Amino acid sequence: MSIPFSRRSLAAACCLFPLAVTAQTTAPDTAAVPTLRDIVVTPSRNAEPLADAIGDVTVIGPQELAEARGDSIAEIIGRAPGVQFANSGGPQTVTSLFLRGTNSAHTLVLVDGMRVNGSTDGGAQLPAIDPAMVERVEILRGAASSLYGSDAIGGVINIITKKGEQDRPLSAWANVGYGTYETAKSSLGLSGASDGWDYSFSTSAATSKGFDALRRRKANNSPIAGYYPDKDGYRSHAVSGTLGYRWAEGHRIGLTAYNGYMDGDYDNQFVPYPNTYAISRQQAYGLSSTDRITDWWESDLRFGFTKDSNDNRSDSSSVFSSLKRHYSWINTFKPHADHRISVLLERQEERVQSTTTRYDQDARDTNAVALIYKGRIDRLHTQASVRNDNISGYGNQTTGSLGLDFDLTDTWQIGIAGNTGFHAPTFNDLYWPFELYTWGGFPIGSYSGNPNLKPEKSKNVEAHVQYQTADTLLRATIYQNKIKNLIIYDSTEPVPFFTEDTMRNLNAATIRGITLTAEHKIENTTLRASADFLDPRNDDPQPAKGFTPAEGSALPRRARQVFHASVEHRIQALKLGAEYQYTGNRYDDTANTNRLGGFSLVNLTAAYDFNKSLGVQVRWNNILDKDYVLVDGYNTPGSNVFVNLSWRM
């Protein structure tokens, strides 16, 4: 496995080494009791303690979210191990997440368990998801199509909205903050429970003048034709809520709702439009009935409705939207305390619309059935799953997964896993209508979707070793994900001076990596560190065709090395923190000609509780004012500060 190590790699190992030494000299305490925050649902589609989950899982909890109130959801998720992100000049612009080096469309994004990846382009409307409305984020790394179906080649990100405190009739909270770029954010909410009812409601609003999204020159120093000096800001708002009723012991019906809106400015690299902006919206609504039928049989019946839209406005308006209806029924049987079997029936109905494009086909349905087993025999923990997805007009896709964890001692564990995944082509890939390109009245080319595309498929294998006590967590994970039938833009020239363009299954990729994570608590101090070493390879680089240059061997916008380190210390009511991040070199293009340099960022945080109800939080990002690039030609934030005042009843 060709994974680069350098002096920075050695430095990262040195950061992790003291934690490991300290961990070995700390007396283990295996009697820690999982809290509510430790309960996860994404790894097995059943609620379980995080310590019992099989897979490479990270939870971003309320504390981490509270310490980053001025940041976007992508920035927060991007600090987790195995995750990289990119945007085109600010949190309001098109945003991509790369989980374990896979394409952005290979990461399944859920809101309250409902998929929100767009049916037109495959990406999620991340700018329209406000972290102020989020209670926690669960990240499952590794192919998970045998649990969730299409898109989960790199893993799953489940964004769970606020439920609030539901142990008393009424509780309330509010935040108001201000920061660099005239950024102002506010949010408030209430929640409670009484007489079998539970409820929550949250709302937020934000504005920012922003910074100029576009740079004057690209990485190769060539001028950008569309450069127009301005500030690209945004205006956003969101609401979320839940309502539930426990009508009998073990029986609950519930409603969830999320509606997020982002009106954000952006810049066009090719044409200097002065007032370009896009309106993105993400909606997710769910109805559920959870019933414990017997001591060994539980039913979970759900209906969900999600809608995403993007209204791109430059010289005219162009709206693309997709609607999904979700139906799922999971019956979980526990014949023994250490064994459970879940049977899943699921249906998804997709519909797409556009004000400027008439798709050759605008609807498809998916029916799925899955079997999930989770069990323990002494020190051996097992999870196995198999799933079949039948996509209308497209056929069947079967995926499977097997994970084995073995407890060597009460603190040491080893594990191996293998799983398969797939990504069904989007409506843009399959059904984009025929378009003829002309120049001076003469036809020079055409483009259309390709209804004969095959699904992208993956085979992922991984292994880990882990040491864990009540105060320490050390983990090393090594993985390989081989992906075939990758869909790429292809151009042919059937006759001179005329090109026919479409999407084709031409590429394959192999992504190998190692992720090291460490966390240790020493009284009032918490140390965290992670290091990712990635080798994202294009196995079938395509030769030059017409105006399209030959492809390189590295997948674009994915750094081969990413390091994170942080420390937090509490002094009575005051908490201080510092963070360091290093991201290595990347290529911005498939030809591997536009090289983006690596960069280091240092952030500082502070929080002070005046009393049990009132507090202030300060975050200073990029304190050294580093000039760095995520997407060639687009700016990133300079040194920026955000101050938040919080109140809780």
Side-chain angles (χ1 to χ4, degrees), residues 84 559 561-564 581-586 597-600 630:
Q84 298 182 47
Q561 299 170 337
V562 178
F563 309 139
H564 293 273
Q581 173 189 338
Y582 169 76
T583 300
N585 301 323
R586 298 134 290 138
F599 59 89
S600 295
L630 297 175

Side-chain angles (χ1 to χ4, degrees), residues 385-408:
S385 56
V386 62
R387 173 176 170 133
N388 184 77
D389 289 81
N390 179 271
I391 305 174
S392 60
Y394 204 70
N396 294 291
Q397 301 298 324
T398 302
T399 51
S401 175
L402 175 63
L404 302 172
D405 288 354
F406 185 77
D407 298 329
L408 297 172

Side-chain angles (χ1 to χ4, degrees), residues 108 115 145 148-153 364 387 389 391 422-425:
L108 176 61
R115 62 171 58 229
S145 289
Y148 293 96
S150 179
D151 305 336
I153 285 179
R364 71 178 174 193
R387 173 176 170 133
D389 289 81
I391 305 174
F422 80 98
H423 167 68

Side-chain angles (χ1 to χ4, degrees), residues 170-194:
L170 175 64
S171 62
W173 56 269
N175 292 283
V176 59
Y178 188 81
T180 309
Y181 307 121
E182 300 184 42
T183 301
K185 295 189 174 186
S186 62
S187 59
L188 59 88
L190 53 85
S191 61
S194 180

Side-chain angles (χ1 to χ4, degrees), residues 352-369:
V352 298
Q353 289 182 329
S354 173
T355 58
T356 57
T357 301
R358 185 179 181 87
Y359 287 95
D360 293 338
Q361 185 171 319
D362 60 5
R364 71 178 174 193
D365 302 327
T366 302
N367 295 310
V369 58

Side-chain angles (χ1 to χ4, degrees), residues 594-614:
N594 295 335
R595 184 173 179 268
L596 305 180
F599 59 89
S600 295
L601 299 177
V602 178
N603 310 321
L604 296 178
T605 62
Y608 184 78
D609 298 324
F610 298 105
N611 52 49
K612 291 183 178 180
S613 299
L614 191 64

Side-chain angles (χ1 to χ4, degrees), residues 339-381:
H339 302 273
R340 71 168 184 257
I341 300 172
S342 298
V343 180
L344 166 68
L345 299 176
E346 197 165 65
R347 176 176 172 84
Q348 176 180 260
E349 300 169 353
E350 297 177 80
R351 306 293 183 264
V352 298
Q353 289 182 329
S354 173
T355 58
T356 57
T357 301
R358 185 179 181 87
Y359 287 95
D360 293 338
Q361 185 171 319
D362 60 5
R364 71 178 174 193
D365 302 327
T366 302
N367 295 310
V369 58
L371 186 67
I372 307 166
Y373 165 76
K374 180 75 180 287
R376 183 183 66 183
I377 302 175
D378 195 17
R379 293 181 177 271
L380 179 65
H381 306 261

